[in-house]
Each structure stands twice: as structure tokens, then as C-alpha cells.
Amino acid sequence: MTFIEVKNLWKIYGKGEAKTVVLKGLNLKIDKGEFVIITGPSGCGKSTFLNILGLLDVPNKGMVYINGKKTTLMSENERAIFRRKISGFVFQQFHLINTLTALENVELPMMLNEMDKSYRIKRAKKLLKSVGLEKRANHYPNQLSGGQMQRVAIARALANKPKIIFADEPTGNLDSKSGNQVMNMLRELHDNGITIIMVTHELEYTRYATKVVKMKDGEIIDIVEH
Ligand code: ADP
Ligand code: ADP
């Protein structure tokens, strides 16, 4: 069943001399429960594409359908609500809030969804336990290793029970052991039915994918089904 459909997607920055065409008419279909890996050389448009799929950014032309809904026509506010309801994000740079503990970072998306405090704390503790960090709940990000920070970020991404996880080079700042831990967590989430869409240039990880989307110069040059 088609979950996400992309039709003739264009992204252009700037005007005149400074014009950069970053995405050139992309088309893609993603089913529920897929593990999609988007790969290609640096600067080919992977992050831009992921940010548009995740409704963090909008295209200049074309459409992203999610569950048949024309997301590109939504207002910024509608997109924010939709995003909080169905998706979780994991970034290369972790994007944790340094003034909040691990537990509070995981609580944050639930606060934005107005869940009550006792539920938030209970669920945040459970999620930290599931990523092996129950003993680090009261640590601040700067007291954690990169691998631990990314595991907190995964727990945070799961806070609102997402249907999709968007991950942009989630292993890019990690050593191979921590990177493999993160990949195993993503694989487990995929096994539990969550759709994963991940950008990486590390080709060894394509073995986890149900679909590998290869990009070059703003175009999809190949789609390999596994
Ligand atoms: P990748 O993730 O494959 O490395 P990106 O999507 O980050 O590629 O970037 C693709 C191209 O778009 C690059 O040439 C980059 O410089 C350009 N780009 C990204 N964001 C902006 C922006 N806000 N303004 C202008 N150009 C941008
Ligand atoms: P990477 O480290 O993989 O290159 P970035 O740090 O560039 O990823 O993040 C991708 C984009 O998402 C950036 O434009 C950033 O501003 C945006 N972003 C990051 N975190 C959030 C967030 N929590 N909510 C909304 N947008 C975010």
C-alpha cells in the first residue's frame, strides 16, 4: 500500500545568476513499512529531499502525498501538527538541547503534544531504557558520548509513537561500533512496522534497506528494490 508518493518534485534556491536547481523533478513511491535508503555523492540533494519528505521544507513545484493527503498544500502550522503526529527525526548532529537532561530531551516532543507530566516521565524512562540508557536519564548531552547522544535522539524520535522515522546521516558522526548500534536500532524499529527513510553515503548499510534510491546532481538515477 502506497504510504508516501512524490510527484515531479523540484527545489530551486536563489534567482538569476545565483539560481541553484537542487531537485529536478523527482518521482518516488514508498509503501508502509519500507526501509528506504537515499544515497549519492555529497551535494546531490539528499538532505533537501529528506527535509521535504519530512515536511521540514517545501518544494517549489510538485507534490508530496502522505496517506493520500496533499501535504504540499498545507499551511506551515498544519505541516507542523502533521509532522509531530506521524514522524520522528534523527540527525547527524543529534540536535539535542544542551540545557536539558536526556530524560527532558525525550519528554520534549510529548510536551509539544500536550501529554501530561506523569505519562511523559514514565514513557521517557521506558524509551531511554529501550535504548540502553536508563542510567543516563539525568545526564546532560555534554556528559554523553556521541553514540549515547544519538540513542537519546532515537528515544526522542520515538516519543510520540511515529509511523515514520526520517534519519539524515544518523551514523555520520559515530565510530563504527556506535554506528552499528544505531543501525540495529533502526532495523528493529523497521521490524516493528515503522517506515524508515534514511540518508547515508555509507553503502554497507544498504543491506538493511527494502529500497535504495540513488541520486546524482538532483536527480534519481536508480531505484533498487531488495
Ligand atoms: P546532500 O544532502 O546530498 O549533501 P543537500 O541537499 O544538502 O545535498 O544540498 C544540495 C545542494 O543544495 C547543495 O549544492 C547545497 O549547496 C544546496 N543548498 C542546500 N540548502 C541550500 C540553501 N538554503 N540555499 C542555497 N543552496 C542550498
Ligand atoms: P545533517 O546534520 O544530517 O546535515 P542538519 O543538521 O543539516 O542535518 O539538519 C537538517 C535540517 O533540519 C536543517 O535545515 C535544520 O535546520 C533542520 N532541523 C534540525 N532539527 C530540527 C528540528 N528539531 N525541527 C525542525 N527542523 C530541524
Side-chain angles (χ1 to χ4, degrees):
M1 190 170 53
T2 302
F3 188 21
I4 300 178
E5 183 165 11
V6 174
K7 280 192 185 164
N8 192 28
L9 199 73
W10 290 77
K11 184 69 180 181
I12 299 155
Y13 287 111
K15 280 188 181 144
E17 295 269 299
K19 184 163 140 177
T20 316
V21 184
V22 176
L23 300 178
K24 304 173 183 170
L26 307 188
N27 294 288
L28 184 66
K29 277 187 188 180
I30 297 171
D31 288 338
K32 268 209 173 85
E34 283 210 73
F35 192 141
V36 177
I37 286 186
I38 301 171
T39 191
S42 182
C44 72
K46 303 182 297 294
S47 291
T48 304
F49 187 29
L50 191 78
N51 288 344
I52 293 174
L53 288 171
L55 311 188
L56 293 170
D57 196 359
V58 286
N60 296 80
K61 195 179 155 197
M63 188 59 73
V64 176
Y65 300 85
I66 300 183
N67 271 334
K69 235 185 157 76
K70 292 182 175 178
T71 64
T72 314
L73 299 181
M74 292 177 178
S75 70
E76 199 157 320
N77 192 41
E78 283 175 308
R79 272 202 310 280
I81 292 167
F82 199 68
R83 211 162 53 215
R84 283 210 292 274
K85 236 202 279 184
I86 68 160
S87 42
F89 294 89
V90 180
F91 297 99
Q92 180 172 4
Q93 310 289 354
F94 321 127
H95 290 301
L96 297 176
I97 298 188
N98 288 320
T99 53
L100 300 179
T101 64
L103 190 81
E104 290 164 345
N105 268 284
V106 180
E107 258 190 270
L108 196 58
M110 293 184 271
M111 283 176 80
L112 296 172
N113 270 2
E114 297 173 351
M115 312 311 266
D116 67 58
K117 188 158 178 78
S118 62
Y119 172 85
R120 286 189 330 244
I121 291 176
K122 203 170 125 203
R123 179 157 174 80
K125 282 184 174 163
K126 187 175 137 197
L127 286 167
L128 283 176
K129 190 174 177 195
S130 75
V131 297
L133 292 176
E134 56 198 310
K135 296 210 174 83
R136 309 279 178 201
N138 296 316
H139 288 227
Y140 289 88
N142 68 9
Q143 299 172 307
L144 301 172
S145 70
Q148 290 170 339
M149 284 194 272
Q150 197 61 301
R151 278 144 63 197
V152 174
I154 290 173
R156 178 184 59 183
L158 294 171
N160 289 326
K161 304 183 180 172
K163 306 274 187 287
I164 320 173
I165 297 279
F166 295 96
D168 192 348
E169 297 277 6
T171 64
N173 273 323
L174 305 179
D175 59 54
S176 59
K177 183 165 169 258
S178 306
N180 284 328
Q181 263 179 351
V182 162
M183 287 309 299
N184 281 325
M185 283 176 190
L186 292 177
R187 182 167 58 178
E188 212 170 290
L189 296 173
H190 171 239
D191 288 343
N192 287 319
I194 296 181
T195 303
I196 313 274
I197 307 180
M198 168 176 154
V199 164
T200 186
H201 61 264
E202 294 186 65
L203 292 178
E204 60 176 302
Y205 294 140
T206 55
R207 66 195 152 96
Y208 294 93
T210 59
K211 185 177 273 165
V212 178
V213 177
K214 291 185 190 166
M215 291 182 66
K216 195 183 172 189
D217 296 334
E219 293 183 89
I220 292 174
I221 55 166
D222 198 13
I223 298 175
V224 182
E225 311 267 354
H226 284 209

